[in-house]
Amino acid sequence: MNTAAAKFAAPADIEAFSQAVRGKIRADSKVVRVCIGTGCAAKGSRKIYELFRQAAEQSMDDVKIEAKCVGCHGFCERGPIVVVEPGEILYQRVEEPDVAEIFRETVLGGRVIERLLYEDSATGTRASKAEEIPFYAVQKRIVLENNGRIDPARITDYIAQGGYSALAKVLSSMTPEDVIAEVEASGLRGRGGGGFPTARKWRSCREAKGKPKYVVCNGDEGDPGAFMDRSIMEGNPHSVIEGMLIGAYAIGSEQGYIYVRNEYPLAVEHLGTAISQAREMGLLGKNILGGTLSFDIEINRGGGAFVCGESTALMASLEGRAGVPRAKYIHTVESGLRNKPTNLNNVETWANIPAIINRGGRWFADIGTKNSKGTKVFSLVGNVRNTGLVEVPMGITLRRIIDEIGGGVRDGKRFKAVQTGGPSGGCIPAEHLDTRVDFDELTKLGSMMGSGGMIVMDEDTCMVRVAKYFTEFLQKESCGKCTPCREGLAQMLHILGRITDGEGQVGDIVRLEELADLLEGTALCALGKTAANPVLSTIRYFRDEYDAHIRDRHCPAKECRGLFRYEIDEEACKACGICLKACPVDAITGEKKVPHVIDQDKCTLCGTCWEKCPFTAVMKV
Amino acid sequence: MSEEIKVTIDGKEFTGSAGQSVLDVALKNGIEIPNLCHDPRLRPTGSCRLCLVEVEGQQQPVTSCTLEIQAGMVVRTETDQISAIRQTVLELLFYEHRGSCTTCDENGKCRLQSYAYEYQLGDESLSQSLYTEPAPNYTTGNLALEYDPGKCIRCGRCVRICDEVQMAHALTFKNRAAETEVTTAFDLPLNESTCVLCGQCISTCPTGALYDRSAQGQGQAKDLVKTRTTCVYCGVGCQIDLNVNPKKNRIVRVTSEVGCIPNDGNLCVKGRFGMDFVGHPERLTTPLIRRNGKLEQATWDEAIGLIAEKLTKIRSESGPDSIAGLSSAKCTNEDNYVFQKFIRAGIGTNNVDHCARLCHASTVAGLARAFGSGAMTNSIDEFKNAKCIFVIGSNTPEAHPVIALGIREAVVKNDAELIVADPREIELVRYAKLHLQQQPGTDVALINAMMNVIIEEDLHDKDFIEKRTENFAETVEAVKEMTPEKAEKITTVPANAIREAARTYAKADSASIIFSMGITQHTTGTDNVLSLANLAMLTGNVGKESAGVNPLRGQNNVQGACDLGALPNVYPGYQSVEDAEIHAKFEKAWDAKLSAKTGLTVVEIFHAIEDGSVRALYVMGENPALSDPNLNRTRKALEKVEFLIAQDVFLSESAQYADVVLPAFSFAEKEGTFTNTERRIQRVRKAVNPPGEARDDWRIVCDIAAAVGTPMQYENASQIMDEIASVSPLYGGIAFDRIESVGLQWPCLDKDHPGTKYLHKGEFKRGKGKFHPVRFREPAESPDKNFPFILSTGRQLYQYHTGTLSRKSPAIHQKSPTGYVEIHFKDAKEYGIEDGDSIEVSTTRGKVTTKASVGTLVARGWLFMPFHFAEGPANMLTNDALDPIAKIPEFKVCAAKIRQL
């Protein structure tokens, strides 16, 4: 079969094409895969790719050498990442000057450059392959499996890796009911945060009265620090499209929408390219693969409102109205976009579908816990050694994610809490680190799975400030429609501000809890209903920190200005005079060989001495 | 009826219907669940969270406004938990709402205030507002209304009513979270936005955040006395509440109650902001008599004495037919009845007419011939359920704004198909499936072509035609020649659009025709109406709900003035003066010798003044010096007439010609009734005391009648209505005590008759509906080399008739300060005219200077002018050529030219 400009006319064409593409790859061909995910790109990987491409073009070697852009590998902490085939040699923190050497030594010479390999800081051992690195070894990659392998801008790459075979299977041998049954067997629950059983949603939408029906992909990932969906859309856009195609077939829809944040230009670009390639090859459009399914997808870019991740707000925004949620007294599967039955799933949910179809619902259901099946992608960030994107089986403990994948807390500090579930998630303290990560367990702890944000905090983190940070974010992002969210959050923020300013009042905690109850019980949408989680969970696990702020006017983590003071440790002070000279208000006195002293009345708590002291003799107390 | 569902609320069982919310059912049964974002006219939004209730089986409280009732549902509206929630929600609202009740206009009506009391918020909660001095906003400088973000609780009702009911889409929210504020798109000043100043936003605001600018400081809601009456502007007959501060004898603001018939609490700009005229300093307060060419103050005795002397003298010299009277579509039914009775029984002539001659004379003539009754067949409330609405020659959103709400609702909410036939691109076109932009004066060609298609494609209702109509065959002949292609040449409407319109109209389950002066004000006016009647009968759309042929009457009581016989050919109730039996009946009832000869119509009266056969004219509440066609000729006649009596609230353009001017009550000072366009007789009630020595219109007429020796004695308006009921079968069952809360629609034959929602059910008034073969005729005047444009005149939303009343309102004046002529931008370019330029428009009859309004509302070669403005009176230009049957002049078509100044 011709591998150029094919247009598929039947399900069997996909497999034939895939084989043809693979057949063309010579056993001795070499590939340099450069990550151009957002993390690596920010560190200059585009230029590195360009250099590899030029090197490959200019190479006189008789072996075919190809430089390839690929999506996020997840190990963003160590980017830019370059992988060389054959051998799957993974180089990390590659810089421009390294390109020539990699090309010469590894690509052409087949020799490994030790210096660019990952080195385990604890053991000092180097790993030349991803699977040898603990960060990857503990993960189980389904959704992210092909991220880092395929060029997201080339549909042939996706198909060569088995892409669209699930669609072919569905269209050649499954009824829509079969598809829903398979998804049901997998136990897949929505990855956007709600955890609603996907098959049940599909079935409701399929059975809902009204035409046309829409399927929507929610790519409005708004949580600060989260980039799971982004990496999927950027790195493997066809997996989302294939998932939506299968969903459309199961539900009976002819039109899909992908709602992407405008702040994700690369995702928009790659999705756009993927959609037009899929159209060209007959995978979107009329009578797909010669059958009865007709389906197309449009991309809509969001305007930057966090609340547009909420399904009804998203649909309002899709309709061109202000992104404001509505009361869901009628479910969107019955009356959603333009008052028509609409099935909305998140990016990761859609991306799971092809694998479920290919390998079967039971295979998927074998992974995970009783009520939470499969894997979940988390963006692991904060005070952890290995930040990045990780995909783990449901049921893994928080401790394993943080310690084994994340490499533990940075700089030898003590772990204090992990915040899961995005801004409206909760903070989980050390005593619950052995909790198994699934929908229900996290909820029990007052947090949630959310869309998969995971922020690790060390001992220097003030939990009241954390609560304030997230409350402020949510307050600003509240659409302002319902009273509890609009004014309740504003009041909570007001009180938290008072507490971190050292002006907390007796009764503030009770008032916070009251307002939190009001939000949880009466807010109109999920944003409001969960918005109090950061406050509630920090009160629940770190009440002593609140008490210290309010009662003692002291911030135990020494983050809240005014609620701690600087002192100089007599023992450690070498009387070098650096702090004395640096102090802008002449609050420090001392002479040579005499430990310096801070005059607390003069000190404005600017922290200059603390920053400048070469002996860490200045302490926060 | 939809399915009945039983629910238990607070331990009591209630019945509701499917689709109703718990809140609906509770409120209907007197259970007051607190709510702030709810308005029954709006879709529920659930944003204030005050109406939360506990539902058995549900873990969390649910907003009762968004909760549909289900069988067996058990609801508790007030529990400890719910009370605590409400208290906290209210406390939160006071962070954004400044508790300045003592100085707020809404004090006494504010919902937030009453809930704060009910839930006993502490002083601390009430004084915690984070209020800061407001920055200028979209209402700054607007004279109609003002928005105070410091009192706004972001319930969104203003934004939603603007979107969902008015569909003006002028208001929106800006910002998010606690910074949310109401504004217009791009923060444009209100009058530059798409706002139509309906003030619905004020009406729905649950606090004092939106308020009438002119009401500010004029009395708090708790001190105002509300009087329910009928709006004095157009024929919709909205029920309004005049809110009067009794200490100041002043109408402070106008409100309307949600749920009232026919307007459901909705009003337009004129009803809401146009009542300044009532207390205006220019009101007439004493009679005036012309002495040495000047109008001077006089006593009532002097004025009545002079009138009696002159009328007696002229009648004895030239006979009763030398006297004529113009009654008033602005006055009450009782005024009209007494006026025409005086002219007929007191003077002895049938020379009585009124401005209906200028608006719907052709409707009355046409529909009476076709159906047997000249009135709107169906009711206002039925439009919203029509499957197809065909609006032809009615700029409903501007002339009958509240009826337009129902049309938009039909299209937007109920998926009706709207066809608009209008030479102008009126606002309704936005909602229309088809806009047929016919050349002015070509309606018969258009309608006949639609009938041609319907018959050709076999879409007509043969059963209806067979059983309920006559004269069909002749009509088929008449429309046969008018193929869509031929009509395209005449009307400029593409043949396929005509076909599509015909199919859409004919295939709809119920199709309603709405028309107004675009149809009637032609020399072919009666033909136009007859062809619409043909079209409706052809498709069986008469005598059924949400269908019919619906002329929208212009003036507040033009229907009543016609009903009460202010017409030269009929007594009250459309009883012919030339019918001997009826003639005898009225001679007996009125105990007088009556003329058996049809009298003169409005324009004929002026022509008769020219030839000297009419010597005295008594004008009650009309302004022919501005409203009548070919003003130069009319004004000459007003100057010429030997004795002119003007009875009015202001010294109108016409009153300035008078020999005697009589100060009358305005509608806000009198008791009586108006009959609206849907034949509904509704009460008018006194709200304020009249100025100076002004008198009630019917009392003035009685005073004159007594002075000329034919006394008429009535105690009050109610007694007059009783007499009306005794002589006019249509009003046979009408009495004031029956229409206290809701008006009745005629025919209402006796005291037990419930009134009539739609006419011709089962049988036409005249027995069988009669088809009239009508063939296209050209208008009286066509453009030529010297006068290349077709000029139409008409109304605009903000002003009313000759502006006597509406132009007294500063808020309206700010929005609509002066007249203009609409011209297509390409024509304007050809003449080098830019928007806002002063230009001269002239016809063979006269010329006026006005402003050019350049755009695309009119097509090329056509012009449009509103006629409200005395400083650029469109009627200087209009043609006084008459429809041969209805004697209505051709306001809608004349040949004009323009010149840049």
Side-chain angles (χ1 to χ4, degrees):
Chain A
M1 182 171 188
N2 187 359
T3 55
K7 183 145 186 165
F8 301 120
D13 291 355
I14 301 266
E15 179 54 27
F17 182 83
S18 178
Q19 280 178 12
V21 173
R22 273 180 275 138
K24 277 198 166 180
I25 301 168
R26 284 164 52 184
D28 57 353
S29 66
K30 296 176 176 180
V31 182
V32 182
R33 307 200 307 254
V34 183
C35 174
I36 49 131
T38 299
C40 288
K43 292 178 183 166
S45 70
R46 287 237 171 225
K47 177 74 185 178
I48 289 168
Y49 161 74
E50 200 48 40
L51 293 173
F52 273 117
R53 194 185 59 77
Q54 284 167 14
E57 266 177 18
Q58 287 157 13
S59 164
M60 306 302 283
D61 202 271
D62 60 348
V63 178
K64 183 178 183 313
I65 301 171
E66 185 191 4
K68 185 153 120 181
C69 293
V70 295
C72 180
H73 291 70
F75 204 8
C76 308
E77 175 79 27
R78 300 288 176 139
I81 305 257
V82 171
V83 177
V84 181
E85 291 175 36
E88 292 288 313
I89 314 290
L90 187 146
Y91 290 132
Q92 41 112 56
R93 289 184 181 154
V94 175
E95 292 176 16
E96 285 177 37
D98 302 327
V99 171
E101 189 184 350
I102 294 172
F103 199 81
R104 187 181 66 241
E105 293 297 313
T106 312
V107 179
L108 299 178
R111 292 176 292 273
V112 172
I113 305 165
E114 286 285 318
R115 142 182 98 74
L116 292 173
L117 296 178
Y118 171 82
E119 182 188 350
D120 191 301
S121 58
T123 61
T125 54
R126 290 182 184 275
S128 65
K129 288 183 170 52
E131 58 263 35
E132 295 164 7
I133 304 171
F135 177 82
Y136 289 108
V138 183
Q139 294 191 44
K140 173 152 188 75
R141 300 193 138 211
I142 297 172
V143 173
L144 296 178
E145 191 178 13
N146 283 327
N147 259 43
R149 290 199 191 147
I150 59 172
D151 182 343
R154 279 160 45 181
I155 191 170
T156 47
D157 249 30
Y158 180 69
I159 298 174
Q161 297 284 347
Y164 290 109
S165 58
L167 177 70
K169 180 177 174 185
V170 161
L171 295 187
S172 60
S173 63
M174 294 171 84
T175 64
E177 286 79 9
D178 293 342
V179 175
I180 294 174
E182 197 66 62
V183 175
E184 189 161 42
S186 78
L188 179 67
R189 291 169 68 178
R191 296 308 197 230
F196 192 83
T198 305
R200 204 193 299 170
K201 196 188 255 187
W202 286 18
R203 183 167 289 126
S204 304
C205 193
R206 174 171 178 77
E207 287 166 1
K209 290 196 181 86
K211 287 250 163 189
K213 291 177 181 176
Y214 298 112
V215 297
V216 177
C217 171
N218 183 351
D220 191 57
E221 184 177 48
D223 301 3
F227 55 108
M228 299 74 65
D229 296 344
R230 174 183 204 157
S231 295
I232 297 168
M233 291 185 285
E234 286 177 356
N236 195 358
H238 284 288
S239 65
V240 179
I241 295 170
E242 188 178 4
M244 289 177 75
L245 271 159
I246 293 165
Y249 173 72
I251 289 158
S253 165
E254 298 198 345
Q255 182 62 52
Y257 295 92
I258 303 178
Y259 188 92
V260 200
R261 300 185 75 189
N262 199 34
E263 296 88 332
Y264 285 179
L266 195 62
V268 173
E269 183 191 323
H270 285 180
L271 284 167
T273 306
I275 289 171
S276 44
Q277 288 177 349
R279 278 191 198 128
E280 277 165 29
M281 301 194 80
L283 293 163
L284 287 173
K286 297 271 174 215
N287 302 108
I288 293 163
L289 301 184
T292 54
L293 175 65
S294 294
F295 182 68
D296 211 334
I297 296 175
E298 269 180 43
I299 298 174
N300 276 70
R301 290 173 299 162
F306 177 69
V307 73
C308 284
E310 198 278 344
S311 61
T312 56
L314 185 149
M315 287 173 201
S317 175
L318 264 182
E319 289 170 8
R321 297 185 287 117
V324 173
R326 66 161 173 79
K328 287 193 205 171
Y329 51 95
I330 304 170
H331 294 295
T332 52
V333 286
E334 284 160 26
S335 179
L337 183 62
R338 301 183 197 113
N339 299 323
K340 301 293 179 194
T342 305
N343 183 91
L344 177 140
N345 286 119
N346 144 284
V347 170
E348 192 181 331
T349 314
W350 288 120
N352 265 306
I353 299 296
I356 290 172
I357 296 295
N358 274 329
R359 302 193 219 178
R362 287 194 53 189
W363 159 81
F364 191 85
D366 281 343
I367 307 163
T369 62
K370 182 162 174 276
N371 291 319
S372 303
K373 302 297 186 187
T375 60
K376 177 77 193 88
V377 183
F378 289 97
S379 65
L380 183 63
V381 295
N383 307 125
V384 68
R385 208 169 270 140
N386 301 328
T387 59
L389 208 59
V390 305
E391 183 174 356
V392 290
M394 294 278 193
I396 190 171
T397 62
L398 283 166
R399 191 182 301 283
R400 286 194 74 195
I401 297 177
I402 293 164
D403 287 353
E404 294 181 32
I405 301 177
V409 176
R410 236 181 232 172
D411 304 328
K413 296 258 173 72
R414 273 193 303 125
F415 170 89
K416 185 183 251 181
V418 57
Q419 205 270 359
T420 72
S424 42
C427 295
I428 299 168
E431 64 256 38
H432 292 298
L433 274 182
D434 291 314
T435 303
R436 294 186 173 277
V437 173
D438 73 9
F439 286 107
D440 311 313
E441 292 301 313
L442 290 178
T443 306
K444 274 187 214 156
L445 293 179
S447 183
M448 58 186 200
M449 179 81 84
S451 55
M454 197 171 272
I455 304 171
V456 177
M457 299 164 193
D458 67 18
E459 56 188 312
D460 291 342
T461 313
C462 168
M463 297 315 288
V464 186
R465 284 184 88 79
V466 167
K468 185 183 149 198
Y469 170 82
F470 286 118
T471 306
E472 186 167 8
F473 175 85
L474 291 165
Q475 190 270 331
K476 283 203 175 119
E477 294 293 343
S478 163
C479 78
K481 181 171 178 175
C482 75
T483 313
C485 187
R486 181 180 69 248
E487 282 301 325
L489 278 176
Q491 284 318 303
M492 290 177 83
L493 182 60
H494 181 69
I495 294 169
L496 289 166
R498 184 155 83 197
I499 296 174
T500 55
D501 284 347
E503 290 162 7
Q505 299 166 4
V506 175
D508 274 357
I509 297 180
V510 176
R511 182 66 175 161
L512 281 174
E513 285 172 332
E514 253 175 43
L515 291 168
D517 272 356
L518 184 78
L519 274 165
E520 208 175 351
T522 72
L524 186 144
C525 80
L527 187 154
K529 280 188 187 299
T530 57
N533 280 348
V535 171
L536 282 176
S537 67
T538 48
I539 291 178
R540 177 168 166 188
Y541 297 118
F542 303 96
R543 194 182 177 106
D544 52 334
E545 289 198 32
Y546 280 85
D547 286 340
H549 280 77
I550 296 168
R551 203 179 47 219
D552 309 332
R553 304 279 185 252
H554 182 251
C555 171
K558 297 163 195 95
E559 265 202 299
C560 297
R561 202 174 147 174
L563 300 189
F564 63 90
R565 60 183 194 278
Y566 292 100
E567 278 182 11
I568 296 169
D569 181 354
E570 276 183 42
E571 309 265 305
C573 179
K574 305 274 191 254
C576 68
I578 290 176
C579 62
L580 189 147
K581 283 184 207 120
C583 178
V585 292
D586 297 330
I588 301 176
T589 52
E591 292 168 32
K592 274 191 180 166
K593 296 190 179 167
V594 178
H596 295 1
V597 176
I598 300 173
D599 179 342
Q600 296 298 335
D601 291 339
K602 283 190 183 170
C603 177
T604 59
L605 301 165
C606 70
T608 309
C609 54
W610 183 76
E611 281 167 21
K612 300 269 171 164
C613 178
F615 311 107
T616 56
V618 180
M619 309 172 298
K620 292 176 179 179
V621 292
Chain B
M1 273 303 283
S2 49
E3 184 198 351
E4 285 201 342
I5 294 174
K6 283 191 166 39
V7 290
T8 306
I9 304 177
D10 292 344
K12 287 195 196 113
E13 198 175 72
F14 299 106
T15 306
S17 50
Q20 271 191 309
S21 70
V22 169
L23 183 63
D24 289 338
V25 175
L27 292 178
K28 204 177 147 210
N29 291 291
I31 297 176
E32 288 294 323
I33 302 176
N35 63 83
L36 285 166
C37 67
H38 169 77
D39 180 323
R41 293 171 289 180
L42 304 176
R43 277 193 293 266
T45 169
S47 67
C48 76
R49 316 309 278 177
L50 215 52
C51 72
L52 287 164
V53 293
E54 285 182 10
V55 180
E56 235 166 56
Q58 303 239 21
Q59 286 181 337
Q60 288 192 329
V62 195
T63 46
S64 57
C65 65
T66 59
L67 180 67
E68 280 187 20
I69 53 167
Q70 276 167 15
M73 198 176 242
V74 177
V75 178
R76 274 178 293 276
T77 70
E78 196 75 70
T79 63
D80 289 350
Q81 185 203 8
I82 293 290
S83 292
I85 288 172
R86 290 199 186 127
Q87 194 159 13
T88 314
V89 168
L90 287 167
E91 277 169 16
L92 289 177
L93 289 174
F94 274 94
Y95 282 107
E96 51 193 10
H97 183 87
R98 176 161 58 106
S100 53
C101 302
T102 46
T103 55
C104 181
D105 288 335
E106 287 299 291
N107 188 3
K109 189 185 145 217
C110 172
R111 305 270 287 279
L112 187 60
Q113 183 190 44
S114 64
Y115 295 142
Y117 176 79
E118 191 178 334
Y119 288 87
Q120 290 288 298
L121 294 202
D123 289 346
E124 200 188 327
S125 315
L126 298 178
S127 57
Q128 64 196 355
S129 154
L130 307 170
Y131 175 74
T132 48
E133 269 306 306
N137 64 47
Y138 71 101
T139 59
T140 305
N142 191 285
L143 295 182
L145 57 95
E146 189 161 19
Y147 170 62
D148 179 354
K151 292 184 190 167
C152 175
I153 56 162
R154 281 80 185 168
C155 65
R157 280 163 65 168
C158 52
V159 175
R160 283 149 59 213
I161 205 160
C162 193
D163 279 352
E164 293 176 25
V165 176
Q166 191 63 33
M167 303 193 195
H169 311 296
L171 296 184
T172 182
F173 278 124
K174 70 171 176 184
N175 301 337
R176 277 207 301 255
E179 275 76 50
T180 302
E181 251 184 59
V182 175
T183 187
T184 52
F186 313 111
D187 289 327
L188 283 174
L190 191 64
N191 280 355
E192 290 171 34
S193 74
T194 55
C195 172
V196 290
L197 284 185
C198 62
Q200 305 276 58
C201 51
I202 302 177
S203 83
T204 194
C205 181
T207 71
L210 274 161
Y211 49 91
D212 301 50
R213 168 86 65 178
S214 67
Q216 205 182 354
Q218 299 299 325
Q220 292 187 307
K222 67 183 173 55
D223 299 325
L224 301 180
V225 176
K226 281 186 185 181
T227 303
R228 172 68 51 90
T229 188
T230 303
C231 180
V232 74
Y233 281 102
C234 77
V236 178
C238 293
Q239 293 301 289
I240 56 176
D241 293 327
L242 298 177
N243 291 233
V244 171
N245 183 343
K247 285 182 202 152
K248 300 188 178 185
N249 189 41
R250 179 193 156 118
I251 300 173
V252 173
R253 56 178 152 187
V254 180
T255 55
S256 181
E257 191 183 314
V258 175
C260 72
I261 294 172
N263 53 308
D264 195 15
N266 301 309
L267 294 177
C268 79
V269 54
K270 299 181 286 284
R272 184 95 57 195
F273 299 114
M275 299 304 165
D276 297 83
F277 75 88
V278 174
H280 199 272
E282 287 173 21
R283 279 288 297 276
L284 292 171
T285 54
T286 66
L288 306 172
I289 291 178
R290 188 171 299 278
R291 295 183 178 118
N292 306 319
K294 268 188 178 167
L295 285 170
E296 292 177 357
Q297 275 194 12
T299 66
W300 275 106
D301 285 348
E302 287 170 337
I304 302 284
L306 178 63
I307 290 166
E309 179 199 322
K310 286 282 187 184
L311 291 184
T312 312
K313 179 168 168 274
I314 290 171
R315 182 170 57 176
S316 63
E317 286 171 8
S318 309
D321 288 340
S322 63
I323 297 172
L326 291 182
S327 195
S328 175
K330 290 234 88 61
C331 289
T332 62
N333 286 325
E334 295 72 16
D335 295 333
N336 275 285
Y337 176 79
V338 170
F339 187 88
Q340 61 85 33
K341 182 177 168 186
F342 165 67
I343 297 290
R344 292 197 156 107
I347 303 292
T349 176
N350 284 317
N351 286 345
V352 59
D353 202 7
H354 72 288
C355 67
R357 186 63 51 202
L358 310 178
C359 59
H360 275 291
S362 38
T363 300
V364 176
L367 292 186
R369 279 168 171 73
F371 302 157
S373 171
M376 180 163 159
T377 57
N378 291 56
S379 298
I380 293 170
D381 191 47
E382 292 171 44
F383 291 131
K384 65 170 188 264
N385 297 319
K387 295 293 165 219
C388 170
I389 301 178
F390 179 30
V391 178
I392 179 163
S394 160
N395 189 353
T396 325
E398 303 224 25
H400 300 89
V402 173
I403 290 182
L405 304 184
I407 301 176
R408 293 196 200 97
E409 184 180 348
V411 176
V412 174
K413 296 187 183 162
N414 301 335
D415 299 323
E417 293 182 300
L418 175 66
I419 306 164
V420 174
D422 201 296
R424 293 168 72 214
E425 200 180 305
I426 59 173
E427 190 256 9
L428 271 188
V429 168
R430 237 183 280 166
Y431 300 86
K433 178 183 173 187
L434 289 162
H435 178 206
L436 316 176
Q437 203 167 8
Q438 81 276 37
Q439 177 164 314
T442 62
D443 304 276
V444 167
L446 179 70
I447 301 160
N448 274 358
M450 284 174 69
M451 292 172 62
N452 176 300
V453 174
I454 291 168
I455 295 168
E456 192 69 24
E457 301 188 2
D458 202 27
L459 298 170
H460 50 303
D461 186 338
K462 288 170 255 343
D463 190 47
F464 183 90
I465 295 166
E466 167 72 28
K467 288 189 183 136
R468 306 244 352 234
T469 69
E470 60 192 27
N471 216 22
F472 177 58
E474 290 84 338
T475 308
V476 174
E477 270 314 300
V479 301
K480 208 172 216 169
E481 56 168 43
M482 192 54 73
T483 60
E485 281 69 23
K486 187 173 172 192
E488 177 174 344
K489 291 203 183 83
I490 298 169
T491 62
T492 76
V493 180
N496 279 336
I498 298 175
R499 283 202 174 84
E500 188 58 30
R503 288 170 196 146
T504 304
Y505 175 81
K507 286 179 184 171
D509 288 341
S510 58
S512 189
I513 294 173
I514 291 176
F515 72 93
S516 201
M517 277 160 255
I519 282 294
T520 60
Q521 290 178 331
H522 293 278
T523 47
T524 60
T526 307
D527 285 354
N528 291 350
V529 173
L530 285 171
S531 44
L532 286 176
N534 288 343
L535 179 65
M537 288 189 289
L538 182 68
T539 50
N541 272 308
V542 193
K544 76 178 187 190
E545 189 147 352
S546 296
V549 181
N550 299 289
L552 303 185
R553 306 302 301 256
Q555 297 260 18
N556 56 311
N557 197 32
V558 68
Q559 183 65 50
C562 292
D563 296 345
L564 276 310
L567 298 171
N569 58 333
V570 288
Y571 295 119
Y574 306 98
Q575 305 178 78
S576 171
V577 298
E578 295 184 353
D579 181 311
E581 204 174 305
I582 291 166
H583 183 248
K585 173 177 121 180
F586 275 91
E587 284 197 331
K588 184 165 172 243
W590 291 345
D591 188 21
K593 184 93 188 83
L594 303 176
S595 165
K597 192 180 91 188
T598 291
L600 298 174
T601 63
V602 171
V603 182
E604 287 171 334
I605 288 170
F606 287 102
H607 294 177
I609 291 171
E610 283 176 6
D611 68 26
S613 55
V614 165
R615 291 173 59 196
L617 179 62
Y618 180 7
V619 180
M620 174 175 82
E622 295 249 315
N623 192 9
L626 209 50
S627 65
D628 287 20
N630 196 357
L631 282 187
N632 280 326
R633 195 172 169 187
T634 309
R635 289 180 181 182
K636 266 187 206 130
L638 286 171
E639 248 162 49
K640 188 182 173 208
V641 69
E642 193 178 320
F643 189 64
L644 176 64
I645 309 161
Q647 178 172 319
D648 212 318
V649 292
F650 289 105
L651 192 65
S652 68
E653 288 75 11
S654 306
Q656 288 169 27
Y657 290 91
D659 298 289
V660 182
V661 177
L662 305 172
F665 285 4
S666 78
F667 87 114
E669 292 136 15
K670 58 168 74 172
E671 299 285 338
T673 57
F674 292 154
T675 304
N676 79 348
T677 187
E678 58 172 356
R679 301 167 273 107
R680 191 182 297 279
I681 298 120
Q682 310 190 105
R683 283 282 275 121
V684 175
R685 292 185 182 86
K686 178 184 170 175
V688 289
N689 292 319
E693 298 170 24
R695 289 184 185 173
D696 213 341
D697 284 285
W698 63 263
R699 283 194 195 274
I700 301 172
V701 179
C702 288
D703 291 346
I704 296 172
V708 299
T710 50
M712 299 191 288
Q713 290 282 331
Y714 301 103
E715 289 293 311
N716 51 39
S718 171
Q719 208 181 49
I720 302 173
M721 181 52 80
D722 292 344
E723 182 174 317
I724 294 169
S726 71
V727 297
S728 168
L730 285 183
Y731 281 58
I734 306 295
F736 276 25
D737 60 359
R738 285 193 75 192
I739 53 171
E740 269 308 304
S741 52
V742 182
L744 285 166
Q745 288 173 283
W746 67 252
C748 178
L749 303 177
D750 54 55
K751 295 285 184 254
D752 300 319
H753 195 286
T756 307
K757 185 175 167 179
Y758 58 92
L759 304 177
H760 316 304
K761 187 179 180 181
E763 191 181 24
F764 282 93
K765 176 83 193 327
R766 69 180 291 281
K768 282 201 166 183
K770 186 173 182 187
F771 280 96
H772 288 77
V774 175
R775 287 186 171 81
F776 171 67
R777 282 188 289 123
E778 298 274 351
E781 199 171 87
S782 294
D784 56 25
K785 215 167 68 198
N786 295 325
F787 295 93
F789 287 94
I790 299 177
L791 170 70
S792 285
T793 65
R795 287 154 201 281
Q796 55 128 294
L797 171 66
Y798 300 96
Q799 301 294 356
Y800 199 73
H801 210 238
T802 61
T804 323
L805 309 184
S806 60
R807 295 194 79 189
K808 301 290 190 297
S809 155
I812 290 177
H813 182 74
Q814 187 185 38
K815 179 83 184 186
S816 162
T818 188
Y820 51 84
V821 58
E822 287 172 3
I823 177 169
H824 192 272
F825 73 96
K826 284 183 181 162
D827 288 333
K829 201 172 168 194
E830 227 165 69
Y831 281 77
I833 293 167
E834 304 222 354
D835 191 51
D837 281 359
S838 268
I839 64 169
E840 182 186 273
V841 185
S842 52
T843 65
T844 57
R845 291 161 293 278
K847 59 186 175 190
V848 295
T849 301
T850 188
K851 264 183 4 186
S853 171
V854 178
T856 55
L857 285 178
V858 291
R860 290 205 70 175
W862 305 345
L863 303 172
F864 173 83
M865 272 181 88
F867 77 103
H868 315 290
F869 301 94
E871 67 275 22
N875 280 326
M876 283 289 181
L877 309 170
T878 47
N879 191 354
D880 53 352
L882 300 181
D883 175 283
I885 299 164
K887 309 287 166 66
I888 190 169
E890 189 148 62
F891 287 104
K892 291 297 183 214
V893 187
C894 66
K897 66 179 176 188
I898 54 173
R899 183 168 74 90
Q900 201 190 20
L901 295 177

